[in-house]
Amino acid sequence: MGNIGVLPEHIVNKIAAGEVIERPSSVVKELVENSLDANPSMISISIKHGGKSLIKVVDNGTGMDQEDALLCLKSHATSKIKNSDDIFTIHSLGFRGEALSSIAAVSRVTLLTRNSSQQAGTEIEATGGKIKSVKEKGTPVGTSIEISDLFFNTPARKKFLKGERAENASIAEVITTISLAHTHVAFKLYKDDRLIFDYPTCPHLKERLLGTHYHEWVKYLLPLDIKSDGLNLRGYFAKAELSRTNRSAQFFFINKRPVKSLPLSYALQRAYQGLIPQRHFPVAIIFLELDPTVVDVNIHPTKREVRLQNEKIICEKIVRHVREVLYKCDHSPSIFHTYSLGKGKSYYQKSVSEPFDFKEIQEKVKGRDDYPETAKGTATSHQMAKEPEEEMWFVDTEKKLKVITPLGQIRESYILAETEEGFIIIDQHAAHERIIFEEILTSLERGNATSQALLLPAIIQLSFKEAQILEEHLDLLVAVGFSIANLGNNTFSVDATPTLMGNVEVKDLLLDFLHGILEGKGNVPLNDRKENVAKTLACKSRAIKANEKMSPEEIEYLINSLEKTKQPFTCPHGRPTFIKLTISDLEKHFKRK
Ligand code: ADP
Ligand code: MG
């Protein structure tokens, strides 16, 4: 007799649960997605003990009749696809038909549901996937699912759950993330019987953000709106001042499904290159609307990752557009309003572990001048369903660096200057680096770099890898003004350097340059390679340092040159070149208004 046996359904479901249901927040994600697929105008979520003892999701969507209610807990039971072709044209969030069966396999479920064709609703109780009772019960149209004792029959999984706080935080994050893509649905979250989130329906993402912990972002956001070649990209990306030290403030949605995408994230990183400090990550919320046939959502059991056709084209479009807009913006941080995220706990951890009064936040943001009238009303979800075309926020993208009078140097390192708005403090080294960086880039683009010959050629012996990188960048280095000859055997001789760079130690410079590139990512596009060259060279150039006295003429020259740069706000490494203080800031702080 053979050894192979086909596993019974309850074991199959338990195994599937291992993939789909990792922790309480995965249950919340699946249940909320099911609710959203049923077209509700509100979803209410209640959790107890980090979702470990109870998760209840109630919606006013279409609901189910008794026949469907009995089927929905079975594995591979779905109303969302009927045949294999449907897998390639998915419009719903679910389609695998395994979430409810997986959840039911590892918990106790009470499902109460009714659709509009039925007089009475159906209540089903199940334990470990086995139906224990089916009753008729009065209930409004919609669905309520209660999951208690999660993982009661899989003790190993239960043991590995994190503490209540972490689970609460993860659930809160799942809900807020999903809510960003569904502003026409109201969301409520009750934690241990206390209402902690209350997001009313609203016409725009910005109003939704104002109601969440992300409300402070709103004043930093710039709109993204690209429609071309069947691609529809919209959302917001933040000014460079609002960067974080991890990727947790990057949200990507493909056809309203939240996804993790490293390629999209790298694209953003490239767009912000030189505008935010190293190891900082941009803040962005980006929605991609794509023909479902070009997205494969079936590569990951929780559908958190998807595969995209034309990914490269999409990434290039994001980089180009975001960069273009960022280059037009005023990024100079204000001395008083410097906004720093990314340190300490996440918002969610703070909000769910410390007392958090959402009403207080909402009242506060409603009082703000930039809070739109439409968000204050109580429009119905029906009215809200359509996104108004117009952008209601005014985005100030005018570049502002107009110095009226240079006032002098502070500690021989910073320059004080009066501007139309107030005054600015310039970091002389950072500013000079920005100027040289752009000069190098321009000379690369125009091909008009000049060289100065060295008295003695520098002979440089490299490793095989270093030599390879140097070969790859030789054209660019020559274009910028180097004269380099390959002597064979990984040895090179340099007999001229760019005039722009002044007198530099050639060997150190080239080695630093090569190592910088070796540490970075391989295969960067030409534009980025140009920037890499310009960045490294600017950094090693004759840029004025801190603690160097400058004459009034030098100060004036520096300011004039900075004003002329395309993007005067940061040095090539993303640090600010100047910070500002406006007259209105001053008046506020001297209590004049
Ligand atoms: P999937 O969402 O992949 O279809 P699920 O196991 O999550 O699979 O759900 C199974 C089916 O149960 C769904 O296809 C849907 O028809 C029904 N269902 C689940 N939750 C709801 C809900 N909140 N409202 C209406 N129908 C629901
Ligand atoms: Mg589902």
Side-chain angles (χ1 to χ4, degrees):
M1 206 176 106
N3 278 325
I4 299 178
V6 175
L7 293 173
E9 184 171 300
H10 69 276
I11 300 187
V12 172
N13 286 344
K14 260 194 182 178
I15 295 171
E19 277 190 329
V20 185
I21 307 303
E22 197 194 339
R23 56 193 291 191
S25 59
S26 351
V27 175
V28 171
K29 171 190 169 286
E30 294 296 338
L31 296 182
V32 169
E33 286 189 353
N34 277 348
S35 291
L36 285 168
D37 280 341
N39 272 324
S41 62
M42 78 89 198
I43 300 175
S44 154
I45 303 111
S46 313
I47 53 172
K48 287 202 171 138
H49 303 109
K52 295 178 200 181
S53 61
L54 177 90
I55 296 170
K56 183 174 180 182
V57 175
V58 180
D59 67 58
N60 63 354
T62 53
M64 286 176 268
D65 62 17
Q66 191 164 91
E67 193 186 335
D68 281 354
L70 282 165
L71 270 177
C72 75
L73 298 180
K74 288 192 172 298
S75 58
H76 309 299
T78 180
S79 55
K80 298 167 196 174
I81 56 174
K82 303 273 185 242
N83 57 49
S84 64
D85 289 347
D86 293 347
I87 301 176
F88 304 105
T89 52
I90 298 204
H91 291 278
S92 51
L93 292 167
F95 65 92
R96 297 169 63 109
E98 53 181 19
L100 285 186
S101 57
S102 302
I103 295 167
V106 293
S107 68
R108 298 178 217 282
V109 178
T110 306
L111 166 70
L112 177 59
T113 185
R114 177 166 83 86
N115 75 10
S116 57
S117 68
Q118 306 250 295
Q119 291 292 335
T122 308
E123 187 183 69
I124 296 177
E125 284 180 342
T127 300
K130 288 210 171 65
I131 294 184
K132 297 283 175 198
S133 74
V134 182
K135 287 184 214 142
E136 281 201 347
K137 196 172 174 181
T139 183
V141 171
T143 302
S144 148
I145 296 194
E146 225 179 282
I147 309 297
S148 47
D149 282 340
L150 186 63
F151 301 130
F152 78 96
N153 54 356
T154 49
R157 179 57 56 110
K158 196 166 180 169
K159 216 165 70 194
F160 282 107
L161 286 182
K162 298 208 172 109
E164 254 175 59
R165 275 185 183 192
E167 295 303 335
N168 281 332
S170 174
I171 291 171
E173 191 173 347
V174 162
I175 294 170
T176 302
T177 304
I178 294 181
S179 84
L180 299 181
H182 300 272
T183 53
H184 58 287
V185 179
F187 290 83
K188 282 193 164 116
L189 171 63
Y190 294 86
K191 178 185 78 102
D192 301 315
D193 294 325
R194 225 178 105 232
L195 180 60
I196 61 162
F197 289 170
D198 185 1
Y199 304 156
T201 57
C202 51
H204 285 104
L205 175 62
K206 276 198 174 165
E207 284 95 319
R208 173 68 31 106
L209 285 171
L210 283 171
T212 72
H213 301 285
Y214 299 130
H215 62 100
E216 299 228 38
W217 292 1
V218 168
K219 59 177 179 282
Y220 297 91
L221 296 180
L222 301 162
L224 176 74
D225 196 352
I226 307 174
K227 283 191 192 76
S228 71
D229 314 327
L231 174 69
N232 186 345
L233 261 170
R234 50 177 198 91
Y236 295 95
F237 54 100
K239 287 188 179 180
E241 302 153 73
L242 185 76
S243 61
R244 295 194 88 164
T245 49
N246 56 41
R247 290 200 173 88
S248 64
Q250 296 181 358
F251 299 91
F252 299 107
F253 298 86
I254 296 181
N255 296 344
K256 295 203 170 175
R257 182 192 303 283
V259 294
K260 291 260 175 246
S261 166
L262 274 183
L264 292 176
S265 187
Y266 287 149
L268 272 182
Q269 202 71 28
R270 271 174 55 209
Y272 280 76
Q273 198 181 25
L275 291 172
I276 54 176
Q278 269 188 332
R279 285 181 286 282
H280 273 231
F281 298 87
V283 172
I285 304 163
I286 296 181
F287 296 91
L288 276 94
E289 298 293 332
L290 295 167
D291 181 342
T293 53
V294 302
V295 189
D296 187 356
V297 282
N298 201 16
I299 59 165
H300 196 267
T302 66
K303 306 170 223 108
R304 199 76 178 100
E305 285 164 30
V306 298
R307 198 179 287 134
L308 281 184
Q309 276 175 31
N310 304 334
E311 192 170 76
K312 265 208 171 122
I313 299 175
I314 295 171
C315 288
E316 280 314 309
K317 284 207 163 132
I318 293 180
V319 176
R320 204 164 346 117
H321 176 93
V322 170
R323 215 167 164 69
E324 209 171 275
V325 176
L326 285 174
Y327 263 66
K328 289 185 201 145
C329 288
D330 181 346
H331 295 291
S332 54
S334 158
I335 293 170
F336 289 132
H337 304 149
T338 310
Y339 189 69
S340 159
L341 284 167
K343 289 213 181 77
K345 292 186 211 164
S346 80
Y347 276 129
Y348 292 112
Q349 276 165 334
K350 263 191 214 149
S351 72
V352 271
S353 56
E354 288 155 26
F356 163 69
D357 190 343
F358 78 91
K359 279 217 169 84
E360 197 183 307
I361 286 200
Q362 281 181 342
E363 288 313 313
K364 216 161 72 187
V365 292
K366 273 185 189 169
R368 277 166 46 160
D369 304 343
D370 57 355
Y371 197 75
E373 282 302 314
T374 46
K376 292 179 187 163
T378 46
T380 64
S381 68
H382 177 68
Q383 279 170 296
M384 295 299 190
K386 198 170 167 289
E387 285 259 322
E389 296 286 307
E390 255 174 85
E391 174 59 41
M392 293 197 300
W393 262 265
F394 173 66
V395 180
D396 179 10
T397 54
E398 200 194 326
K399 187 154 70 178
K400 287 185 196 113
L401 176 60
K402 285 186 200 121
V403 171
I404 301 172
T405 333
L407 299 170
Q409 214 180 0
I410 307 169
R411 291 268 171 109
E412 301 188 340
S413 300
Y414 301 100
I415 296 166
L416 192 63
E418 192 183 339
T419 60
E420 281 173 357
E421 279 187 305
F423 68 85
I424 58 170
I425 302 170
I426 303 174
D427 177 329
Q428 64 193 40
H429 173 65
H432 201 193
E433 267 193 1
R434 159 59 56 184
I435 295 163
I436 297 175
F437 170 75
E438 291 204 9
E439 279 175 359
I440 297 176
L441 265 187
T442 314
S443 75
L444 270 178
E445 252 126 55
R446 298 206 182 128
N448 62 355
T450 52
S451 306
Q452 57 184 18
L454 297 176
L455 286 176
L456 278 177
I459 306 295
I460 305 173
Q461 170 71 51
L462 299 175
S463 72
F464 174 73
K465 224 173 181 172
E466 290 163 349
Q468 238 182 344
I469 306 270
L470 185 62
E471 282 285 351
E472 278 169 28
H473 289 80
L474 214 50
D475 288 354
L476 283 176
L477 290 170
V478 169
V480 87
F482 282 97
S483 164
I484 303 177
N486 190 345
L487 306 180
N489 239 348
N490 306 329
T491 309
F492 295 80
S493 117
V494 183
D495 49 26
T497 55
T499 319
L500 264 172
M501 309 240 353
N503 292 327
V504 284
E505 182 49 61
V506 188
K507 204 166 163 180
D508 290 352
L509 167 70
L510 280 179
L511 281 175
D512 276 1
F513 171 73
L514 297 173
H515 293 161
I517 293 184
L518 270 171
E519 279 162 24
K521 278 174 235 89
N523 234 345
V524 280
L526 180 64
N527 266 347
D528 290 12
R529 258 196 290 157
K530 279 188 187 162
E531 284 198 9
N532 271 344
V533 171
K535 187 159 89 182
T536 323
L537 299 186
C539 184
K540 295 282 149 199
S541 67
R542 55 169 167 84
I544 187 143
K545 300 273 178 304
N547 298 312
E548 269 186 53
K549 189 158 180 56
M550 292 175 76
S551 67
E553 293 73 31
E554 283 171 330
I555 290 178
E556 190 145 347
Y557 177 78
L558 188 93
I559 289 176
N560 279 340
S561 311
L562 188 63
E563 280 177 339
K564 282 190 204 127
T565 55
K566 283 192 199 141
Q567 195 286 98
F569 304 103
T570 58
C571 79
H573 309 283
R575 276 180 279 109
T577 47
F578 64 92
I579 51 179
K580 68 182 170 202
L581 192 78
T582 61
I583 295 296
S584 111
D585 280 338
L586 277 182
E587 284 170 348
K588 244 183 251 162
H589 282 267
F590 284 114
K591 311 280 179 229
R592 282 172 170 270
K593 68 175 189 190

